[in-house]
Amino acid sequence: MNRHGGYYGENKDKIIDFSVNINPLGISENIINRVKGSINNLIRYPEIDGITARGIIEENIGIDKEKIILGNGATELIYLFSRAIKADKVLIIQPTFNEYERAFRISGSEVYNFVLTERDSFAVNESNLLNRIKELEPDVLVLCNPNNPTGKFIDYHQLISVFNYINQIDSHIFVDESFIDFTGERNFLLLVDEYSIFILRSMTKFYAIPGIRLGYGIANKGLIKRLNYYKEPWTVNSIALDILTEIFEDKGYAIKTREWLVEEKKFLKEELEKIKNLTVFNSCTNFHLCKLMKHKAEKLKEELLKKGIYIRTCEDFKGLDSRYFRIAVRTQLENKKLINGLRDLL
Amino acid sequence: MNRHGGYYGENKDKIIDFSVNINPLGISENIINRVKGSINNLIRYPEIDGITARGIIEENIGIDKEKIILGNGATELIYLFSRAIKADKVLIIQPTFNEYERAFRISGSEVYNFVLTERDSFAVNESNLLNRIKELEPDVLVLCNPNNPTGKFIDYHQLISVFNYINQIDSHIFVDESFIDFTGERNFLLLVDEYSIFILRSMTKFYAIPGIRLGYGIANKGLIKRLNYYKEPWTVNSIALDILTEIFEDKGYAIKTREWLVEEKKFLKEELEKIKNLTVFNSCTNFHLCKLMKHKAEKLKEELLKKGIYIRTCEDFKGLDSRYFRIAVRTQLENKKLINGLRDLL
């Protein structure tokens, strides 16, 4: 399997990494200071039930801490969910993040894909999805929203008939909202009490801390209890637990990030659209899926790397092929380098 | 289940915590400085295959990095092993760390216990164990060496007939060496090529960094490959990966720790032996199992807590009961407070 996580080759400090969807504003000063202050806590085990950290999340998102579970990154919770649910059949809306499929497969589930196409702008057609679910009766429906790598967002109103049917057959919904903070879009939190839905959140991307490993999940108490039965102890390190206060308190960082994104995404998209032999898809979040008309993305990746730029080819995503690649929105200076590089090569 | 990980109640900074077996010399300056230097790396995903970190371990313990797997603490690897092996039957030498049993049970294994008794000084009788294994034919034999909570060490020569039989029936051996660094004892590394053995190591205890989550496992390449098939990506955070160099380079810290332990363990044991109504068991490592003659350990724990001292009661260990408790060896000043507290109460 092609496993990613950014550029780790030669001169890694000099390469501009568009392959990971990390906030380029960097780690906020508040978080950096809190990490420093937290070093002396490394001599203790992390609080085993994470109750203090869950309390901080409760205060900030208005969801009872008994409906929250912490993860060593969002990744732990993808795998934990797949193990706890022990689904026979899982339906994944594709193309999307590859770890869902891997997690369910190694947990013994049969994985089925509902593949969205470029012709439909990678949008979900509700009645087609409902028909597929009626036919398959999966134990879990998996979606990522906004979706990686297409950048598409779906409002839950568009899926209510699907969710109601899933409720009827006692199945579950898994929604990865790892990129929701970048959007102004409505999240799925309102559905937690009505449906057996698991909502996954990540601190990695928006707060630029993929190295620290911190995510959380939200669900009804019964589902959280079931996950806790399988949860391993002490998975979230002390520093990750300690910085939660700073993450939520730093409203300025969040505002600055959204301002940067609105402006830079517009600039980047407009400039990319001027480049020939390249299609750029609309995105609700901080990255763009792109498609080459005449070239292979792998070749482009190699050529860009010579210019100090690294992109994510997408041949390993279901429904995409060797022509697609994904780029994160970065700072204007970096985005300009990418645009110049693409202009030279295409 | 009674889940531990140190004292997290009121006034936690003022309580002397004898319940966790952490090196009281604290985190070394080198590690603290490296953590500070590593903060800027939190903006990157941890290296997905941990190859740099595994290379550092290879250089320092002389085992090929392809025979090494990293863990988010030793705990991740206990659970990963149990999932990857999918054992029908597991035999655990008890009393021991409770997570082995939990890990195998939630992975669907039937767990059997080979319970050592106080009458035999919690020592393993090789022929009894061999008979039990011939009768049961378990897929995995689990032992902790030196053992938590008894502090007993077993030399692998004493188990060769057992290991040979396990090889014959294509089963596996799981040895947790989380406390081996505190002993001058021989570890099981030599057996890695001859047996299907998994050796677990932890950085938590000896280097006083339970908050950071760092452990590793050693096995033959086939077994490591099987574990990697099930391993979740990005489980070990960047700081944990970054400090590995400092961990191994700081020979002074290791020497100082062993000197402290020899001296303090002798002092603590001699003083404890003077206290009436208390039995102290010999230990090869940095903690002592103790037994009360006339009191309940839970009551003692409550009374000691009033004096700012926290101990680990052992009623949840197989083969132990409400009279047993475990204490870590700490600094002389702290050990004296414990001794005075016990003397007052017993």
Side-chain angles (χ1 to χ4, degrees):
Chain A
M1 185 183 294
N2 197 350
R3 305 290 287 278
H4 293 264
Y7 179 75
Y8 261 94
E10 275 175 51
N11 297 314
K12 73 177 155 69
D13 293 327
K14 289 178 190 152
I15 302 294
I16 308 173
D17 196 344
F18 286 86
S19 82
V20 286
N21 303 318
I22 300 300
N23 187 338
L25 302 194
I27 311 172
S28 81
E29 274 304 309
N30 290 357
I31 292 180
I32 287 176
N33 289 332
R34 184 57 190 251
V35 174
K36 285 180 192 159
S38 173
I39 294 176
N40 290 329
N41 283 344
L42 293 174
I43 201 167
R44 291 173 172 281
Y45 276 88
E47 200 179 37
I48 196 164
D49 53 6
I51 196 166
T52 308
R54 288 187 290 117
I56 292 166
I57 299 175
E58 170 176 328
E59 278 170 37
N60 283 281
I61 68 167
I63 294 277
D64 182 347
K65 60 178 168 296
E66 301 301 322
K67 297 180 185 170
I68 296 169
I69 187 166
L70 300 172
N72 181 37
T75 316
E76 179 193 356
L77 300 174
I78 298 171
Y79 284 83
L80 178 64
F81 183 89
S82 74
R83 282 200 293 277
I85 297 300
K86 298 191 194 307
D88 289 328
K89 291 182 282 186
V90 173
L91 184 65
I92 302 178
I93 300 182
Q94 297 276 10
T96 196
F97 187 43
N98 283 319
E99 295 297 325
Y100 316 132
E101 179 170 354
R102 179 170 182 266
F104 284 104
R105 274 198 203 285
I106 65 179
S107 298
S109 302
E110 269 183 64
V111 174
Y112 298 83
N113 298 303
F114 184 81
V115 183
L116 307 178
T117 64
E118 188 190 329
R119 207 177 45 192
D120 298 326
S121 309
F122 300 109
V124 179
N125 177 304
E126 186 179 14
S127 69
N128 287 352
L129 178 60
L130 182 60
N131 288 339
R132 181 74 181 110
I133 286 172
K134 284 183 174 171
E135 178 190 71
L136 183 68
E137 304 227 325
D139 305 284
V140 181
L141 170 69
V142 177
L143 66 145
C144 180
N145 201 40
N147 186 44
N148 172 13
T150 61
K152 287 289 167 294
F153 178 83
I154 186 159
D155 193 283
Y156 64 79
H157 286 113
Q158 294 171 256
L159 291 178
I160 286 298
S161 71
V162 169
F163 290 178
N164 286 338
Y165 187 79
I166 286 175
N167 249 17
Q168 274 175 43
I169 60 171
D170 282 330
S171 290
H172 312 277
I173 307 149
F174 179 98
V175 182
D176 183 350
E177 292 191 344
S178 284
F179 294 98
I180 197 80
D181 289 335
F182 287 106
T183 72
E185 302 290 356
R186 189 149 41 182
N187 60 54
F188 280 50
L189 283 189
L190 274 177
L191 308 184
V192 160
D193 291 317
E194 273 178 86
Y195 300 91
S196 183
I197 190 169
F198 183 77
I199 297 170
L200 183 63
R201 297 283 176 86
S202 166
M203 299 307 190
T204 294
K205 290 88 183 175
F206 193 80
Y207 295 97
I209 45 172
I212 219 164
R213 316 312 298 134
L214 181 59
Y216 64 95
I218 304 144
N220 67 56
K221 290 183 188 177
L223 191 47
I224 293 292
K225 197 175 162 190
R226 187 162 166 184
L227 295 171
N228 276 327
Y229 177 81
Y230 290 91
K231 189 161 176 36
E232 300 167 21
W234 311 297
T235 58
V236 184
N237 67 76
S238 322
I239 291 178
L241 294 178
D242 283 349
I243 62 168
L244 256 173
T245 315
E246 272 60 36
I247 284 179
F248 285 112
E249 271 183 6
D250 199 348
K251 310 287 182 211
Y253 180 86
I255 292 166
K256 233 168 90 184
T257 296
R258 289 192 194 100
E259 283 173 357
W260 149 78
L261 184 59
V262 169
E263 203 168 307
E264 269 311 299
K265 194 159 66 164
K266 186 167 175 287
F267 169 77
L268 179 63
K269 178 126 193 292
E270 283 172 4
E271 294 299 313
L272 289 172
E273 281 172 340
K274 293 178 193 162
I275 298 172
K276 59 183 180 190
N277 298 318
L278 180 71
T279 303
V280 194
F281 297 92
N282 283 322
S283 167
C284 282
T285 183
N286 65 325
F287 52 82
H288 275 294
L289 181 67
C290 302
K291 186 184 178 186
L292 296 169
M293 295 298 109
K294 296 189 170 173
H295 306 79
K296 299 269 187 197
E298 189 61 35
K299 179 74 183 157
L300 179 68
K301 184 177 87 176
E302 284 166 26
E303 294 300 322
L304 282 172
L305 191 52
K306 292 177 192 163
K307 296 172 181 283
I309 288 164
Y310 193 64
I311 60 170
R312 169 73 159 90
T313 58
C314 293
E315 71 291 340
D316 58 328
F317 286 99
K318 293 256 160 3
L320 303 185
D321 62 30
S322 60
R323 292 169 298 174
Y324 294 85
F325 64 97
R326 191 193 65 202
I327 48 173
V329 182
R330 296 197 53 88
T331 63
Q332 181 142 136
L333 195 69
E334 293 169 322
N335 294 336
K336 279 182 175 162
K337 283 186 185 163
L338 172 69
I339 291 157
N340 291 335
L342 288 169
R343 208 177 273 144
D344 287 354
L345 295 168
L346 298 177
Chain B
M1 184 182 296
N2 197 350
R3 305 290 287 279
H4 292 264
Y7 180 75
Y8 261 93
E10 275 175 51
N11 297 316
K12 75 175 154 66
D13 294 327
K14 288 178 191 152
I15 302 295
I16 308 173
D17 196 345
F18 286 87
S19 82
V20 287
N21 302 318
I22 300 300
N23 188 337
L25 302 194
I27 310 171
S28 82
E29 273 304 309
N30 290 357
I31 292 179
I32 287 176
N33 289 333
R34 183 57 189 250
V35 174
K36 285 179 190 158
S38 174
I39 294 176
N40 290 330
N41 283 344
L42 293 174
I43 202 167
R44 291 173 172 279
Y45 276 87
E47 200 179 36
I48 196 163
D49 53 5
I51 195 167
T52 309
R54 287 187 289 119
I56 292 165
I57 298 174
E58 170 176 325
E59 278 170 38
N60 283 280
I61 68 167
I63 295 277
D64 182 347
K65 60 178 169 295
E66 301 302 322
K67 296 180 183 171
I68 295 169
I69 187 166
L70 299 172
N72 181 37
T75 316
E76 179 193 355
L77 300 173
I78 298 171
Y79 284 82
L80 179 63
F81 183 89
S82 74
R83 282 201 293 278
I85 298 298
K86 297 189 195 307
D88 288 329
K89 292 181 282 187
V90 173
L91 184 65
I92 302 178
I93 300 183
Q94 297 277 11
T96 195
F97 187 44
N98 283 319
E99 295 296 326
Y100 316 132
E101 178 170 354
R102 180 171 182 265
F104 283 104
R105 275 199 203 285
I106 65 178
S107 298
S109 304
E110 269 182 65
V111 174
Y112 298 84
N113 298 302
F114 184 80
V115 183
L116 306 178
T117 63
E118 189 190 327
R119 208 176 46 192
D120 297 326
S121 308
F122 300 109
V124 179
N125 176 303
E126 186 179 13
S127 69
N128 287 353
L129 178 60
L130 183 60
N131 288 339
R132 181 72 181 112
I133 286 173
K134 284 182 175 169
E135 178 190 71
L136 183 68
E137 303 228 324
D139 304 285
V140 181
L141 171 69
V142 176
L143 67 145
C144 180
N145 200 41
N147 186 44
N148 172 13
T150 61
K152 288 288 167 292
F153 179 82
I154 187 158
D155 193 283
Y156 64 79
H157 287 114
Q158 295 170 257
L159 291 178
I160 286 298
S161 71
V162 169
F163 290 177
N164 286 339
Y165 187 79
I166 286 176
N167 248 17
Q168 274 175 43
I169 59 170
D170 282 330
S171 291
H172 311 279
I173 307 148
F174 179 98
V175 182
D176 183 350
E177 292 191 343
S178 283
F179 294 97
I180 197 80
D181 290 334
F182 287 106
T183 73
E185 303 289 357
R186 190 150 42 182
N187 60 54
F188 280 50
L189 283 190
L190 275 177
L191 308 185
V192 160
D193 290 318
E194 273 178 85
Y195 300 91
S196 183
I197 190 169
F198 182 77
I199 297 169
L200 183 63
R201 296 283 176 86
S202 166
M203 299 306 190
T204 293
K205 289 88 181 175
F206 193 80
Y207 296 97
I209 44 171
I212 219 164
R213 315 312 299 132
L214 181 60
Y216 64 96
I218 305 145
N220 67 56
K221 290 183 188 178
L223 191 47
I224 293 291
K225 197 175 161 190
R226 187 161 166 185
L227 295 172
N228 276 327
Y229 177 79
Y230 290 91
K231 188 157 175 39
E232 299 168 21
W234 310 297
T235 58
V236 185
N237 67 77
S238 321
I239 291 178
L241 293 178
D242 284 349
I243 61 168
L244 256 173
T245 314
E246 272 60 37
I247 283 179
F248 285 112
E249 272 184 5
D250 199 348
K251 310 288 183 212
Y253 181 85
I255 292 165
K256 233 168 90 184
T257 296
R258 289 192 195 99
E259 283 173 357
W260 148 78
L261 184 59
V262 168
E263 203 168 308
E264 270 310 299
K265 195 160 64 166
K266 186 166 175 288
F267 169 77
L268 179 62
K269 179 128 191 293
E270 283 172 3
E271 294 300 313
L272 289 172
E273 280 171 341
K274 292 180 196 162
I275 298 171
K276 60 182 181 195
N277 298 318
L278 180 71
T279 302
V280 193
F281 297 93
N282 282 323
S283 167
C284 282
T285 183
N286 65 323
F287 51 82
H288 276 293
L289 181 67
C290 302
K291 186 185 177 187
L292 296 169
M293 296 299 107
K294 295 188 169 172
H295 306 78
K296 298 269 186 198
E298 188 62 33
K299 179 73 181 158
L300 178 69
K301 185 177 89 175
E302 284 166 25
E303 293 300 321
L304 281 172
L305 191 53
K306 291 177 192 162
K307 295 172 182 283
I309 289 165
Y310 193 64
I311 59 169
R312 170 72 159 91
T313 58
C314 293
E315 70 291 340
D316 57 328
F317 287 100
K318 293 255 160 5
L320 302 185
D321 61 29
S322 60
R323 291 169 299 174
Y324 293 86
F325 65 96
R326 191 192 67 201
I327 48 172
V329 183
R330 296 196 55 87
T331 63
Q332 181 142 134
L333 195 67
E334 294 169 322
N335 294 335
K336 279 182 177 163
K337 283 187 185 164
L338 171 69
I339 291 157
N340 291 335
L342 288 170
R343 207 176 274 144
D344 287 354
L345 295 168
L346 298 177

